[in-house]
Amino acid sequence: MFETFKNAWRIDDLRKKIIYTLLMLLVYRVGSFIPVPGIDSSYIRDLVEGNTLLGLLDIISGGAFANFTIFAMGITPYINASIIMQLLTVAIPRLEQLAKEGQEGQKKIAQYTRYATVVLAFIQAIGITYGLAGQAIQNKNFFGYILVALTLTAGTAFLMWLGEQITDKGIGNGISLLIFTSIISRLPLAVVSLWQLAFVAKTMSPWSLPLVVVFAVLMVAAVIFVDSGERRIPVQYAKRVVGRKVYGGQSTHIPLKVNSSGVLPIIFAVSILSLPQIISQFFPDSGFNRWVEANFNQSTGLYGVLYALFIVFFTYFYTQITFNPVEIANNLRQYGGFVQGIRPGKPTADYLARISNRITLVGALFLVAVAIIPIAASAAANMPMYFGGTAILIVVGVALETVKQLEAQMLMRHYRGFLK
């Protein structure tokens, strides 16, 4: 493995891409410590500790949200804009046509996504400024609120640009690497905190630390195993004679991933369940706030049941949007392909839909396990949960994707694979 790293470093253009990526990630981490002017960050930090959604935002932003720095909103508005554009691509014929026009159409969609990101970032910044951070602003006037909102929006726009630069000139997907860096940056803090709990405060047994390590390794191994799993449906293409040439006749397959939706169902579920918590913050002395604090937290059974149901629902919802068995069946029939043992047309579409539903169920149950087990283990061991299932899924997924891209770069230059 070290020899492979040495070979990768010897390639001039690959070495430049790696250095460029590391420098851009360094810029991101430096910016994560620049505070927003005119804000009392201690008030925001107290809010983050008691809110599940804000805690998730803090993990994705690498602690920037709790400290309320210029990158406090992270890249979340860009992710939301990308999801909205994917949904609109299915609903709006013009966007669907652009998506099928190749590289030029993708550039147009990317441009629309950037505009939507800035708009969503400004709206979210206004909401955070007037809602969550309203009590933390030192200058409570119009210019004070606008300054904070514009600073947060500019930070998100810069991160969007930074991620696109990494994608174009570096290694891996820039947006994913920014989130990956944010989560990994919290690892030293988690290690120090667990050490203090075990040996300084002595609120947990020192023998629990090896169990935490083993549990984390098993979770990562399970995520890698399921994330790499897929069902391959064999497809045969009929032979066609055009002039003196024979086309087709080859065999291939349709890969259906077990976890095709990734971490999005968990993010959606947390967002929905955190809405009552966010609304109750505006009515701190009401009975509604007391009911939410008693019933909508991770330690209650109601929260766990709703959490699991929402994950299953959003997993099927996202799969239905991204996977169209009718379109795949029509494309196969158009190009002379057929699933072995299944008639072309509607029988093929029904077969693909049935297989997809079964695989989606397995993926949904896996996401439920990844999301619920760390919460249950943290409550049973009476220790804080620094990394939930969402963080593990993101870290493992981005790491696998980046390794595959680097391996492809190595193979293009006739080197051995990165993992060999």
Side-chain angles (χ1 to χ4, degrees):
M1 182 176 179
F2 293 104
E3 187 67 23
T4 307
F5 273 109
K6 186 186 300 183
N7 292 333
W9 191 257
R10 289 173 181 172
I11 304 174
D12 185 60
D13 58 336
L14 192 56
R15 180 172 65 250
K16 291 181 180 178
K17 289 184 177 182
I18 295 175
I19 294 176
Y20 183 84
T21 302
L22 295 177
L23 289 177
M24 292 298 101
L25 294 178
L26 178 62
V27 171
Y28 167 58
R29 289 309 302 162
V30 171
S32 299
F33 294 94
I34 302 176
V36 175
I39 287 290
D40 181 14
S41 60
S42 61
Y43 178 82
I44 306 297
R45 195 176 298 111
D46 294 337
L47 287 179
V48 171
E49 292 179 356
N51 189 282
T52 306
L53 176 60
L54 299 183
L56 176 61
L57 293 177
D58 190 52
I59 291 176
I60 295 178
S61 64
F65 189 85
N67 297 324
F68 216 75
T69 66
I70 59 175
F71 296 155
M73 293 195 305
I75 204 65
T76 305
Y78 180 84
I79 298 174
N80 295 335
S82 300
I83 295 173
I84 292 174
M85 290 303 299
Q86 288 182 3
L87 298 177
L88 292 180
T89 300
V90 180
I92 300 178
R94 173 56 182 167
L95 293 178
E96 185 177 2
Q97 182 181 356
L98 284 176
K100 296 179 180 180
E101 290 181 358
Q103 187 175 2
E104 293 300 324
Q106 293 297 330
K107 287 182 179 179
K108 278 288 186 181
I109 294 179
Q111 186 178 4
Y112 296 153
T113 304
R114 296 188 194 102
Y115 295 151
T117 299
V118 175
V119 173
L120 289 178
F122 185 71
I123 295 174
Q124 183 174 342
I126 291 293
I128 291 175
T129 303
Y130 281 90
L132 298 176
Q135 300 296 325
I137 295 180
Q138 298 173 353
N139 298 323
K140 292 181 174 59
N141 52 51
F142 176 78
F143 294 101
Y145 285 107
I146 289 297
L147 175 62
V148 174
L150 290 179
T151 302
L152 295 176
T153 304
T156 296
F158 179 79
L159 287 183
M160 177 180 61
W161 175 84
L162 196 67
E164 291 180 348
Q165 293 302 308
I166 294 175
T167 302
D168 294 338
K169 303 177 182 178
I171 294 292
N173 183 281
I175 303 299
S176 300
L177 284 175
L178 292 179
I179 302 176
F180 176 87
T181 304
S182 299
I183 297 175
I184 292 299
S185 65
R186 295 172 59 90
L187 183 59
L189 176 63
V191 172
V192 172
S193 299
L194 289 176
W195 183 271
Q196 291 179 347
L197 290 176
F199 296 99
V200 179
K202 295 183 179 180
T203 57
M204 60 177 289
S205 173
W207 296 104
S208 301
L209 296 181
L211 296 179
V212 172
V213 175
V214 172
F215 177 77
V217 172
L218 292 177
M219 286 289 296
V220 172
V223 171
I224 294 176
F225 178 77
V226 176
D227 192 69
S228 302
E230 62 182 20
R231 168 73 181 272
R232 297 182 176 182
I233 300 177
V235 175
Q236 180 71 33
Y237 284 90
K239 292 183 179 181
R240 294 180 299 165
V241 179
V242 180
R244 295 183 178 181
K245 295 183 178 181
V246 179
Y247 296 92
Q250 73 273 18
S251 299
T252 182
H253 63 271
I254 301 175
L256 299 180
K257 291 184 65 65
V258 176
N259 184 25
S260 60
S261 57
V263 72
L264 291 178
I266 296 180
I267 296 177
F268 290 160
V270 172
S271 301
I272 294 296
L273 290 177
S274 297
L275 285 178
Q277 298 179 0
I278 296 176
I279 296 174
S280 65
Q281 295 293 330
F282 296 96
F283 310 98
D285 299 328
S286 64
F288 175 72
N289 183 38
R290 291 189 293 270
W291 183 84
V292 168
E293 291 180 353
N295 296 278
F296 271 83
N297 59 78
Q298 294 182 347
S299 60
T300 61
L302 176 62
Y303 185 93
V305 172
L306 292 177
Y307 195 15
L309 292 177
F310 275 122
I311 290 176
V312 174
F313 170 77
F314 283 117
T315 302
Y316 273 96
F317 177 76
Y318 186 82
T319 303
Q320 292 295 326
I321 292 177
T322 56
F323 181 75
N324 190 345
V326 176
E327 182 178 356
I328 294 177
N330 292 335
N331 291 335
L332 288 176
R333 183 168 57 180
Q334 180 180 356
Y335 293 100
F338 59 92
V339 177
Q340 298 180 10
I342 306 296
R343 297 185 62 182
K346 188 177 183 302
T348 299
D350 294 339
Y351 175 77
L352 294 177
R354 186 167 61 253
I355 297 298
S356 175
N357 290 334
R358 294 177 180 176
I359 295 178
T360 302
L361 178 60
V362 176
L365 295 178
F366 168 73
L367 290 179
V368 170
V370 170
I372 297 297
I373 289 178
I375 298 176
S378 176
N382 194 21
M383 67 177 65
M385 185 181 63
Y386 295 99
F387 297 98
T390 305
I392 295 176
L393 279 172
I394 294 175
V395 168
V396 173
V398 174
L400 291 176
E401 179 186 357
T402 306
V403 166
K404 289 178 181 178
Q405 291 195 19
L406 187 56
E407 183 183 20
Q409 294 281 344
M410 298 287 292
L411 292 176
M412 287 174 59
R413 293 162 178 81
H414 305 289
Y415 280 92
R416 294 182 61 191
F418 186 72
L419 296 177
K420 297 180 181 179

